[in-house]
Amino acid sequence: MDEKKVPQQADGRQIEEAIALFEGILQSSPEDQVALEALSLAYEQTGNLPLARATLLRHAGVVIRQQALEAVPELIRRLKPYAENDFDALEALRSLETMAMAAPDGAVPDGAAAPGQPQQEKELRSGVSLRRQVLRREMELAWKLLEANELTQDEYAQLVDDLSRLIANERQAIISLLHVLTDRSFPGLERILRYVSKASKTPFIALGSFEVQKVDLGSVPLEYLLQQGVLPFETMGNELLVALLNPLNAEIRREIGTLLGRRCHFYLVTAEAFDAAIAKLMPPAKPEEPAAPA
């Protein structure tokens, strides 16, 4: 990787606070994988590739020591560009690939088969691993918007800070840049929706105009999809209409199609419409009525 060719750095108090937040977590918990991954992403997205590399190698070391197989596929993907001209990165990459080859069948998640082995049935992420994956995708979306001049550097820094804080809040079921923009009453939200729709070639729909219905998802839990900003809301023959909060991420589109085993038609929706549809599909449980006196 050519470290001379780096994006313009995003500055501002918010991005500094986000980085300080992760560094503070690592001071008390040096092997916190969520903080290590988020910190490496923050450095990478602000153009500080030397620190991004150092943090990524530190994360790889933790994964190797802990034999944390769920983190292996993503680390392999991110280390490959660095390994082209970096012996330490190459050594870490080879160790991770060795872990993948030695793993029991089905132990490496994300449908990533070990080299030389057939693809195993996809294993669903959960808990911290899933939240970490979603955070990465949403931070990448914020970075793409900055590169496209749809966000200023200060706006980008504020949004990264907000996303970083969401990962630590387990009560926050959905980690989504569109939700953060909505919560901030971001004045350019409509412009960003138009850009995302055009760049991803995904039509925007008013989800509230549809009679949202539960669809057959096979063995895939609806909650797993919702946590990733994905909501299948209608069937069309054997095909599915699917609402997305981040259609610019090609990875999630491939994953959903593979998981559900059906052709999917994707649509961009607003965060408010997404939440309203969830409320219709999963209304809160009614409190139990007190038992009648005997």
Side-chain angles (χ1 to χ4, degrees), residues 19 56 78 160 194:
I19 290 174
L56 195 60
R78 292 188 60 208
V160 168
R194 287 195 296 270

Side-chain angles (χ1 to χ4, degrees), residues 213 215-216 233-241 262:
Q213 54 182 292
V215 301
D216 180 14
F233 63 92
E234 194 167 309
T235 57
M236 188 173 61
N238 192 41
E239 301 176 357
L240 289 175
L241 307 187
R262 300 164 72 176

Side-chain angles (χ1 to χ4, degrees), residues 121-126 130 214-232 255-256 259-260 281-282:
E121 184 178 352
K122 191 171 183 67
E123 180 178 330
L124 302 185
R125 288 176 178 259
S126 62
L130 178 60
K214 285 191 175 182
V215 301
D216 180 14
L217 302 176
S219 61
V220 181
L222 176 59
E223 290 80 1
Y224 175 79
L225 301 180
L226 296 179
Q227 283 184 276
Q228 301 192 77
V230 177
L231 174 60
E255 178 184 350
I256 297 308
L259 275 177
L260 300 179
L281 290 176
M282 306 174 68

Side-chain angles (χ1 to χ4, degrees), residues 8 52 54-55 57 66 69 72 74 85 93-94 104 116 193 209 218 236-238 244 272 293:
Q8 184 179 3
T55 310
L57 288 175
Q66 296 182 355
L69 293 171
V72 168
E74 179 58 19
N85 301 299
L93 179 63
R94 286 174 174 169
L193 288 169
S209 302
M236 188 173 61
N238 192 41
L244 290 180
E272 300 102 321

Side-chain angles (χ1 to χ4, degrees), residues 59-230:
H59 184 197
V62 172
V63 167
I64 292 166
R65 284 193 298 275
Q66 296 182 355
Q67 292 292 291
L69 293 171
E70 74 281 355
V72 168
E74 179 58 19
L75 267 175
I76 288 176
R77 185 188 74 82
R78 292 188 60 208
L79 273 171
K80 281 182 177 178
Y82 291 95
E84 293 174 3
N85 301 299
D86 186 304
F87 177 79
D88 290 337
L90 179 60
E91 188 176 53
L93 179 63
R94 286 174 174 169
S95 296
L96 291 167
E97 290 175 338
T98 300
M99 277 180 62
M101 285 190 289
D105 289 351
V108 179
D110 262 352
Q117 292 182 348
Q119 183 82 359
Q120 304 294 329
E121 184 178 352
K122 191 171 183 67
E123 180 178 330
L124 302 185
R125 288 176 178 259
S126 62
V128 171
S129 177
L130 178 60
R131 291 171 67 81
R132 186 172 61 217
Q133 180 188 59
V134 175
L135 174 65
R136 172 179 58 80
R137 291 171 177 170
E138 296 307 299
M139 290 180 75
E140 286 179 351
L141 173 58
W143 180 248
K144 288 176 182 177
L145 293 174
L146 175 65
E147 287 186 313
N149 294 319
E150 296 295 332
L151 294 174
T152 66
Q153 291 184 348
D154 283 343
E155 288 167 345
Y156 168 79
Q158 291 170 357
L159 295 171
V160 168
D161 182 53
D162 288 347
L163 287 169
S164 302
R165 296 181 189 279
L166 287 180
I167 191 68
N169 183 2
E170 294 184 358
R171 292 177 298 177
Q172 183 73 29
I174 300 174
I175 299 172
S176 148
L177 182 64
L178 286 188
H179 278 84
V180 171
L181 289 166
T182 300
D183 291 344
R184 279 188 169 273
S185 300
F186 188 75
L189 180 56
E190 289 188 9
R191 184 190 75 248
I192 284 178
L193 288 169
R194 287 195 296 270
Y195 169 80
V196 171
S197 176
K198 182 178 180 180
S200 64
K201 299 181 181 180
T202 305
F204 174 84
I205 62 165
L207 188 58
S209 302
F210 287 78
E211 188 62 38
V212 178
Q213 54 182 292
K214 285 191 175 182
V215 301
D216 180 14
L217 302 176
S219 61
V220 181
L222 176 59
E223 290 80 1
Y224 175 79
L225 301 180
L226 296 179
Q227 283 184 276
Q228 301 192 77
V230 177

Side-chain angles (χ1 to χ4, degrees), residues 263-274:
R263 184 180 180 188
C264 297
H265 302 271
F266 297 105
Y267 300 90
L268 172 64
V269 300
T270 64
E272 300 102 321
F274 192 88

